[in-house]
Amino acid sequence: MRDRFSRLSILGASLVLAFAVSARSVQADICGSPSSIDDGWTTASPDSVGIDGAQLCGIAARLAQRATSVHSVVVARHGKLVFEQYIPGYDEPWGQPDGQQVFSATTKHDLRSASKSVVSLLVGIAIDRKLIAGVDEPVLKFFPDHQALKQAGWDAITLRHLLTMSSGMQWDEARAWTDPKNDEPHLTFEADPIGYVLARPIAAPPDTLWTYNGGGTELLGNILERVSGKPLETFAREALFQSLGITDVEWKAYKNGKIAAASGLRLRPRDAAKIGQLVLDRGQWNGQQIVSADWIAQSTTPRFQAIGFFGSTQFYGYQWWMGRSLAGNREIKWVAAFGWGGQRIFIVPELDLVMMTTAAQYGQPKEGLAAIDILSNIVIPSVRDAH
């Protein structure tokens, strides 16, 4: 996505070499065997859950061959972690060029716009707890202190319109970060970024136009703070992360000090994969219902064609993406969280499978394609049974 703060400089030949070295080292480490770090995951071998482990071992070579800037690949099936791989390379943690990084099972990574999908889960939890009546609540109800900014048409916008990015507000974050017409940078430096979003004019009636919009997610994050009476990260820890056994969390703030609901979450890849497993298991983790199954179903129902993003087969729900992969002669549907730079959480219900990737493909023309390549051409074909 376009939740960026700087452009990645051209990667040098040293990164390609790092991939190649990593590929050789992985071969010597029982390729992709998950570490036991007492983080709540049950680990198992790929073959024990119907996956061809030898085929998964091809991931390292494929990444090295293509110099994809991928930092991690994590795979879980039947609720068990069966594969993880970490690759050193250049990164820009929270938009700050930081050079070469060495990643591991205990290294946090930017999720960028995959944060939006976590916000969606938190909205569902708030509704489950009766902190919010439902998705048809009007947005302005939660901002009595910003009534003076109200533009014509805002009275008709509900939480559902923010969740589906169909509010119709005038918003453009597809431009260069330095372009003054790019709305997203205003979230970082405006003294009142919420006021900036609420002051945007309405360009189309709600429910008629899908436009990628991080500003709407910022409103959702602020609403969660208002109804819970807690900072967003505190509410997220108590309502979601604690139940998932996720303790190493960081939710970054913009330069103006406001929490970056749409893009600031940093998690370990294994913990991000738990988010995928939660959705796969209809809101449950280890038998505990954390968010209602109904919310998961609503969130992952296709509601809009995501025109202009990642091809014509992408759909959008409540801050979640939906698409499909062609593996051999099979069309496999998936749900996903997408983050700029190649951050991906894929949920494949038909195969009871989750795959998570992190990367540093910021600003690259084929950003995110490495993840879908690995999913469609290695991970899905490695599944040897249909259940």
Side-chain angles (χ1 to χ4, degrees):
M1 307 327 195
R2 292 168 172 80
D3 46 340
R4 57 214 183 264
F5 297 100
S6 60
R7 289 294 186 184
L8 184 61
S9 60
I10 299 174
L11 296 176
S14 60
L15 184 53
V16 179
L17 177 60
F19 286 143
V21 170
S22 176
R24 290 194 297 271
S25 65
V26 166
Q27 299 264 333
D29 283 342
I30 314 176
C31 178
S33 179
S35 303
S36 295
I37 59 173
D38 193 27
D39 65 347
W41 273 113
T42 298
T43 60
S45 68
D47 297 279
S48 71
V49 295
I51 291 180
D52 185 339
Q55 190 162 349
L56 288 186
C57 281
I59 291 176
R62 195 177 194 94
L63 294 177
Q65 181 183 37
R66 298 191 176 188
T68 56
S69 310
V70 170
H71 296 153
S72 70
V73 180
V74 175
V75 180
R77 190 163 196 237
H78 298 334
K80 298 178 180 179
L81 195 69
V82 299
F83 183 89
E84 65 177 352
Q85 191 168 93
Y86 301 95
I87 303 165
Y90 181 95
D91 197 18
E92 293 186 358
W94 193 233
Q96 302 300 316
D98 204 23
Q100 293 289 316
Q101 301 284 317
V102 176
F103 302 97
S104 72
T106 58
T107 306
K108 292 191 297 295
H109 199 285
D110 285 1
L111 295 190
R112 302 297 178 112
S113 277
S115 308
K116 294 178 172 67
S117 300
V118 176
V119 170
S120 174
L121 290 174
L122 294 172
V123 171
I125 291 171
I127 291 173
D128 291 342
R129 295 183 176 186
K130 311 300 183 185
L131 298 175
I132 298 173
V135 297
D136 292 320
E137 288 286 281
V139 169
L140 292 183
K141 170 185 176 180
F142 300 95
F143 298 101
D145 51 331
H146 285 81
Q147 291 296 322
L149 297 172
K150 184 175 68 175
Q151 301 289 312
W154 266 96
D155 287 323
I157 298 174
T158 67
L159 300 190
R160 178 170 53 84
H161 299 132
L162 300 184
L163 287 162
T164 57
M165 298 193 178
S166 65
S167 67
M169 79 170 83
Q170 184 175 304
W171 190 268
D172 185 355
E173 58 183 81
R175 298 171 178 269
W177 184 256
T178 54
D179 190 323
K181 293 184 179 180
N182 187 334
D183 289 295
E184 189 182 12
H186 287 269
L187 299 174
T188 77
F189 60 72
E190 294 281 349
D192 180 14
I194 298 302
Y196 175 82
V197 179
L198 290 171
R200 304 307 298 151
I202 302 304
D207 267 336
T208 61
L209 180 66
W210 185 88
T211 303
Y212 191 76
N213 185 333
T217 310
E218 294 300 331
L219 293 184
L220 291 171
N222 193 260
I223 288 169
L224 288 168
E225 293 188 330
R226 289 169 180 249
V227 300
S228 69
K230 302 170 184 176
L232 181 61
E233 182 176 344
T234 301
F235 179 67
R237 286 178 182 271
E238 295 176 359
L240 179 63
F241 298 141
Q242 183 176 347
S243 297
L244 291 172
I246 298 174
T247 58
D248 192 9
V249 180
E250 185 178 15
W251 209 317
K252 302 290 286 186
Y254 293 123
K255 294 177 182 178
N256 54 25
K258 307 297 184 182
I259 194 77
S263 59
L265 185 58
R266 287 172 53 81
L267 294 176
R268 298 175 181 180
R270 289 167 61 124
D271 285 340
K274 291 179 184 178
I275 301 295
Q277 191 67 44
L278 179 73
V279 172
L280 181 63
D281 289 339
R282 300 179 179 87
Q284 288 193 5
W285 172 260
N286 287 340
Q288 178 186 357
Q289 197 75 43
I290 298 173
V291 59
S292 68
D294 180 64
W295 182 257
I296 298 298
Q298 290 184 48
S299 300
T300 58
T301 296
R303 298 176 186 273
F304 280 90
Q305 183 90 42
I307 297 173
F309 278 79
F310 309 108
S312 60
T313 58
Q314 308 301 311
F315 306 100
Y316 206 70
Y318 288 174
Q319 309 275 288
W320 287 93
W321 298 82
M322 280 128 272
R324 55 187 182 266
S325 291
L326 187 64
N329 60 355
R330 299 178 62 193
E331 187 177 277
I332 306 293
K333 295 181 179 180
W334 43 256
V335 174
F338 285 1
W340 191 59
Q343 326 317 320
R344 300 288 188 268
I345 306 172
F346 285 105
I347 300 126
V348 189
E350 181 180 342
L351 301 179
D352 197 21
L353 183 141
V354 171
M355 187 189 89
M356 196 278 159
T357 65
T358 60
Q361 297 164 349
Y362 313 115
Q364 295 183 20
K366 295 184 178 181
E367 178 262 329
L369 293 185
I372 195 67
D373 172 44
I374 294 299
L375 177 74
S376 302
N377 296 317
I378 296 182
V379 176
I380 288 177
S382 73
V383 175
R384 296 307 185 210
D385 58 61
H387 54 79

